[in-house]
Amino acid sequence: MKALKSHQFKWSVTVTRKYNPPRQIVVFGRSQAEALQGAVASAREVWGIWDAKSFSTPERK
């Protein structure tokens, strides 16, 4: 994970889709919940994903 100046981290979010194969997108956030929220908010407008079924990130240790 790469730390940014604003204390945000780079997260890889896996988007499970209804009609297409899963896709990985990169979002930034301070926590896992914030990263998922950003992914959900930007899926349609930024990434063009209209058939999103679920969003997941790997657990941090």
Side-chain angles (χ1 to χ4, degrees):
M1 306 290 159
K2 180 181 174 187
L4 303 175
K5 290 181 181 178
S6 61
H7 303 290
Q8 291 186 340
F9 292 96
K10 183 177 177 181
W11 295 84
S12 291
V13 178
T14 302
V15 182
T16 304
R17 303 173 74 182
K18 190 172 182 180
Y19 300 110
N20 294 298
R23 183 170 171 188
Q24 272 202 322
I25 60 175
V26 175
V27 295
F28 296 92
R30 285 179 235 150
S31 66
Q32 181 180 13
E34 187 176 305
L36 285 173
Q37 185 179 10
V40 170
S42 65
R44 287 187 179 180
E45 296 160 1
V46 177
W47 298 99
I49 299 174
W50 290 88
D51 59 345
K53 194 173 181 184
S54 67
F55 296 84
S56 62
T57 57
E59 291 291 325
R60 274 196 158 172
K61 296 179 182 176

